[in-house]
Amino acid sequence: MRSKLFSHLCLAGTVLLVSQPGFPSDSQLSREARARRMAYLERASEGVTLLFNRSHHDLNEYVPDKNFYYLTGCDEPGAVLLLTPGSDAPRETLFLAKRDPRQERWTGPRMAPGRETARRLGMQQVLSLDELPAALGQRAPPKGKVYANLPPGPHRKAGDECCLEPWVRLRQWLPEARILDAGPELAFLRMKKSEWEIEKIRRAVEITMAGHRHALPAIGPGRFEYEVEAAIEYQFRSRGATRPAFPSIVGSGPNAVILHYAGNNRRMSSGDLVVIDVGAEFEGYSADLTRTYPVSGRFTRRQKEIYNIVLSAQEAALKQVRPGVTFEPIHRAALQTIDSRGRDRQGRSLGRYFIHGTGHHLGLEVHDPVSDRGRPLEPGMVITIEPGIYIPEENLGIRIEDDVLVTRDGYRILSRGLPRKAKEIERMMGENR
Ligand SMILES: [Mn+2]
């Protein structure tokens, strides 16, 4: 029941429950979603599109399908969007479950099929889910292309034909259709953010920076990693974030070298570093910010040496960020910096300890999907720049991650308000204990 409750709470205030008087609707979100549907229909004009709001769960909470949400601004579980370009019938129809007053006593009011919901979502038509098979029969050519949001699979490539659970129903409705993945076309659109989206990400970043600042009093010898996690997530929720965009990483000492450590239960000691990689989700949009702090408040000489190499690598990577550039030269700049400075205990260069990519796109998902890995950056894209060095035999892990907006002439660091230099980090920690 908890998860069902969350389905109505998780985006409350932005999109929800618009059929209920008293619940605010977000007409700007509706307008955004409408513009996205128009842009999408221009790209996917050769078939019908069917997007399911598959109810998947993350961190035990209901999370709407982000592609569905992107095109509808609606997060009703089980809802389905049908887009039919070029037909005489309405080009866009949302299908919702009929309301069930008895169920609503338990899980709260839901959006209802009908004109009122259509008006408030800016959708041509909102019908009941039972009407979906008939509408498909009328509007989808039996042997035509159907773009759907297919479940993620390890061997699925763009354009692959596929029919996996729970898309079996779709196969039953349209046994001869060519079912294709709508993901790449949607990712293409999602990669470039509107002003409205950039503002949401900026808010997520702001909340995440506050989380980092409020983490500092909880960092110290004898304190537990989870105290830091709690201090951060308290800030997230009390500043209006829906939830952490991903499991918060607070990794100290030996845990600092584990990239996706999420246990957060070790007691920190003097001399440790602690890597804090966290992000708030605000109105659907994610931030992703990493800083590395010395538990005692001061870096050792060795820690500072490596810290400064990571910082230089980040600066070198940032210098590459501008429209027209791919991640390849950005990563190369970071890797070359790391590999050309400093040594491990065996006297070897440090490139071998930089074991992940330098960045990814950021948006409705913390690792936002891309239509094509080689697509050059454009103004309005938001990416992370996050080099790191992880030397297990020294219990030395350092990552610095910022969120960066690509602009017409370069970039703007959305998280520039959070100090990055070793000296600033030490000063900030001194002020907060
Ligand atoms: Mn990241």
Side-chain angles (χ1 to χ4, degrees), residues 288 360 367 384 386 401:
D288 186 8
H360 52 82
H367 291 172
T384 68
E386 50 173 317
E401 174 178 39

Side-chain angles (χ1 to χ4, degrees), residues 246 277 288-290 359-360 362 366-367 384 386 399 401 403:
F246 54 91
D277 183 347
D288 186 8
L289 287 180
T290 310
H360 52 82
L362 192 64
V366 65
H367 291 172
T384 68
E386 50 173 317
R399 176 163 65 257
E401 174 178 39
D403 300 340

Side-chain angles (χ1 to χ4, degrees), residues 117-232:
T117 302
R119 192 181 64 75
R120 304 194 64 175
L121 284 175
M123 191 78 64
Q124 275 184 301
Q125 194 177 39
V126 179
L127 299 180
S128 156
L129 264 178
D130 337 321
E131 298 172 81
L132 174 56
L136 261 183
Q138 284 164 11
R139 301 183 205 171
K143 295 187 180 179
K145 287 183 183 169
V146 178
Y147 293 97
N149 51 340
L150 299 171
H155 305 300
R156 212 162 47 72
K157 291 197 296 288
D160 274 4
E161 250 186 282
C162 160
C163 188
L164 300 167
E165 275 288 341
W167 282 255
V168 174
R169 277 196 305 158
L170 178 52
R171 197 30 102 201
Q172 286 167 349
W173 294 326
L174 295 168
E176 294 182 277
R178 268 189 81 196
I179 299 172
L180 299 163
D181 186 7
E185 293 297 351
L186 283 160
F188 184 90
L189 296 173
R190 283 174 56 182
M191 286 173 84
K192 258 188 98 159
K193 273 69 184 175
S194 69
E195 287 297 322
W196 184 87
E197 291 183 287
I198 292 165
E199 175 58 17
K200 300 295 178 202
I201 296 172
R202 201 191 58 72
R203 290 285 304 278
V205 168
E206 201 171 78
I207 293 168
T208 306
M209 292 196 293
H212 267 276
R213 286 202 197 87
H214 284 85
L216 300 178
I219 299 174
R223 306 291 296 273
F224 283 88
E225 292 165 346
Y226 53 70
E227 296 180 66
V228 178
E229 175 189 4
I232 291 168

Side-chain angles (χ1 to χ4, degrees), residues 99 112 129 145 165 175 183 246 265 307 326 338 420 431 433:
R99 291 183 63 179
L129 264 178
K145 287 183 183 169
E165 275 288 341
F246 54 91
N265 49 23
Y307 189 94
T326 66
I338 287 172
R420 285 187 289 148
E431 286 163 2
R433 54 185 65 217

Side-chain angles (χ1 to χ4, degrees), residues 267-318:
R267 184 180 253 157
M268 295 175 273
S269 318
S270 178
D272 289 345
L273 290 176
V274 57
V275 170
I276 299 182
D277 183 347
V278 293
E281 183 184 305
F282 179 76
E283 296 190 0
Y285 288 85
S286 301
D288 186 8
L289 287 180
T290 310
R291 289 291 182 269
T292 304
Y293 305 95
V295 167
S296 65
R298 295 229 163 258
F299 291 103
T300 65
R301 256 184 66 189
R302 175 64 170 166
Q303 287 167 353
K304 197 178 273 182
E305 180 200 354
I306 304 300
Y307 189 94
N308 285 332
I309 295 170
V310 177
L311 187 60
S312 303
Q314 197 195 28
E315 290 295 347
L318 284 167

